Amino acid sequence: MIKSIKLKDKILKFPIIQGGMGVGISLSNLAGNVMKEHCMGVLSFAHPGYKSKTFLKDSLNENLRCMKEEIDKARKISEGNGILGVNIMVASSDYAAYVKACVDYKVDAIISGAGLPLNLPELTKGSDILIAPIVSSDKALNLILKRWDMHHSKTADFIVIEGFEAGGHLGFKNDDIKNGKCQNLEEILLSCLPIVKIYEEKYGVKIPVFVAGGIYNGEDIGKFIKLGASGVQMGTRFIATKECDANIKFKQKIVDSKKEDIRIVKSPTGFLGRAIHNDFTKKLDNDGKIPVKFCVNCILPCDPRDTVYCISEALIKSVNGDVENGLVFCGSNAYRVDKIVLVKDLIKELIEETNKFLKESIV
């Protein structure tokens, strides 16, 4: 049977993390309802203030103000259940300010990827907030944990390993993605577990490992638990829920997608990403780049004069419902989603499928 996970003094009854998805895909309604079902709901700090009238003039302060509102709303919706996390991209130009704000706002956990969060322990020093890196290789994990240990006498409270089949930005070399040479998620997990064990023994703690990227059903969850993972992180399945904060057209774009619609796309971050092919990606393919209309200096490095497009503008358009002229990030299994469901029904289904798989695999 599926087991609960202890994270310091907090208990995650069901080992499912809802992935942090920006811009505006995972805010308080989604995260709060995931928490309500005793899982980890995750807010994305990728422009939570995008709806504000003054966002373009003062994006930093609007993002900070709106994130505080989203945290309070999520806590209220959760009815005291679950764990509240915030996903913060290392590539964000305001990374340090966002991390410090999360400490002040007393969120339960910070999950950090899109770069190496080498200074995360320093930014959270003196707090009891849970910190977790997102990695896509044993090399990255070893570097992060070694640096945290040597410079901060700290290790991760949990770890998210994200494979090639994830949605959004991918933490793999561009050539490996293009040539199909990326390690699969199982291989990455098995290479990371011995590294995790070293730091578990040194610090006398259990460091839960969650896998992400291509996790679709309970059989997937059960398979990775049997391989040594503590649980999973899932994003795309939670987009197609009634509680997801995205526009209904965005959700329907996921439901209507076909396997051949899901493509690898360029991003101003320097990473490649996975998204649904639409008018935006066609134009990108044809023209090579899309002129930037505004810039809020959201990521490093990015020069609006020569960037391939504005990632903020592309994501804001799609989350608001313009799913042809914006960027619709998704995981590799988006085409398998065939309906929009309630969060509680999705989680119930996943738990029942996982328990069934684990029970049958014992026999």
Side-chain angles (χ1 to χ4, degrees):
M1 301 292 283
I2 200 166
K3 296 179 180 178
S4 61
I5 302 297
K6 187 174 183 181
L7 299 170
K8 285 186 178 176
D9 61 337
K10 298 176 175 62
I11 300 295
L12 190 61
K13 185 176 179 180
F14 301 122
I16 297 173
I17 299 173
Q18 159 253 309
M21 298 169 284
V23 169
I25 308 299
S26 60
L27 292 176
S28 56
N29 200 43
L30 177 56
N33 277 285
V34 170
M35 292 167 66
K36 189 175 180 180
E37 302 305 317
H38 304 279
C39 298
M40 186 184 295
V42 181
L43 303 167
S44 170
F45 223 136
H47 295 327
Y50 76 98
K51 289 183 178 180
S52 170
K53 293 180 180 179
T54 58
F55 172 72
L56 294 180
K57 295 181 180 179
D58 191 6
S59 63
L60 172 58
N61 285 314
E62 284 307 303
N63 284 334
L64 293 172
R65 180 183 66 80
C66 290
M67 178 51 70
K68 179 62 168 64
E69 292 179 356
E70 296 299 325
I71 289 168
D72 292 342
K73 290 176 185 177
R75 291 281 193 204
K76 185 175 181 180
I77 293 169
S78 74
E79 299 179 356
N81 296 324
I83 292 177
L84 176 60
V86 176
N87 182 287
I88 309 177
M89 296 190 302
V90 178
S92 169
S93 56
D94 296 309
Y95 180 73
Y98 292 163
V99 171
K100 290 177 180 178
C102 285
V103 173
D104 292 339
Y105 298 159
K106 299 187 183 304
V107 304
D108 298 322
I110 292 175
I111 302 172
S112 196
L116 302 177
L118 299 178
N119 63 339
L120 186 55
E122 178 64 29
L123 295 171
T124 57
K125 189 175 181 179
S127 74
D128 61 356
I129 197 167
L130 302 166
I131 58 174
I134 301 175
V135 298
S136 296
S137 70
D138 55 358
K139 183 179 179 181
L141 178 63
N142 188 55
L143 175 60
I144 292 167
L145 295 188
K146 187 175 182 179
R147 183 73 65 89
W148 287 10
D149 175 46
M150 291 179 62
H151 294 276
H152 307 289
S153 299
K154 168 73 178 176
T155 195
D157 295 302
F158 62 99
I159 293 161
V160 178
I161 297 173
E162 191 170 271
F164 167 70
E165 294 188 67
H169 294 112
L170 304 172
F172 295 84
K173 294 179 180 179
N174 291 354
D175 285 344
D176 288 344
I177 294 173
K178 292 175 181 177
N179 297 322
K181 294 183 177 180
C182 298
Q183 275 188 304
N184 64 42
L185 185 55
E186 180 178 332
E187 292 170 336
I188 302 170
L189 171 64
L190 294 177
S191 67
C192 284
L193 288 177
I195 299 171
V196 174
K197 187 175 181 180
I198 292 171
Y199 292 93
E200 286 181 327
E201 292 177 350
K202 179 168 185 177
Y203 285 87
V205 296
K206 172 66 177 175
I207 305 174
V209 175
F210 296 81
V211 294
I215 307 298
Y216 183 80
N217 55 26
E219 183 176 339
D220 296 330
I221 298 172
K223 169 190 170 184
F224 281 101
I225 288 176
K226 287 186 70 64
L227 286 172
S230 296
V232 301
Q233 176 178 285
M234 304 176 70
T236 302
R237 291 293 306 268
F238 284 104
I239 296 175
T241 60
K242 293 182 179 179
E243 296 90 343
C244 176
D245 296 271
N247 185 283
I248 184 62
K249 292 181 180 178
F250 191 104
K251 303 176 192 183
Q252 196 62 44
K253 190 72 171 176
I254 297 292
V255 174
D256 294 340
S257 67
K258 297 178 175 60
K259 190 172 184 177
E260 58 268 25
D261 296 330
I262 301 168
R263 306 285 184 88
I264 298 297
V265 298
K266 294 182 290 186
S267 166
T269 62
F271 297 99
L272 292 178
R274 178 174 281 106
I276 294 177
H277 196 45
N278 59 5
D279 289 347
F280 177 84
T281 59
K282 289 175 187 175
K283 184 174 177 59
L284 189 61
D285 289 343
N286 293 334
D287 300 344
K289 62 173 61 178
I290 296 172
V292 175
K293 295 180 180 179
F294 64 82
C295 179
V296 293
N297 298 309
C298 61
I299 56 172
L300 296 172
C302 180
D303 186 337
R305 293 170 296 183
D306 61 13
T307 188
V308 289
Y309 57 88
C310 175
I311 187 96
S312 295
E313 181 183 13
L315 293 173
I316 288 171
K317 279 186 176 180
S318 63
V319 75
N320 279 330
D322 188 355
V323 293
E324 284 302 321
N325 297 300
L327 189 59
V328 182
F329 276 149
C330 69
S332 64
N333 284 313
Y335 71 95
R336 296 172 65 183
V337 178
D338 60 3
K339 60 184 175 181
I340 297 171
V341 299
L342 292 170
V343 162
K344 67 177 182 179
D345 291 338
L346 173 58
I347 292 174
K348 181 182 178 182
E349 175 186 305
L350 293 171
I351 293 167
E352 289 177 349
E353 289 175 346
T354 304
N355 284 335
K356 180 181 179 183
F357 176 86
L358 293 174
K359 183 178 180 180
E360 292 176 349
S361 64
I362 294 175
V363 178

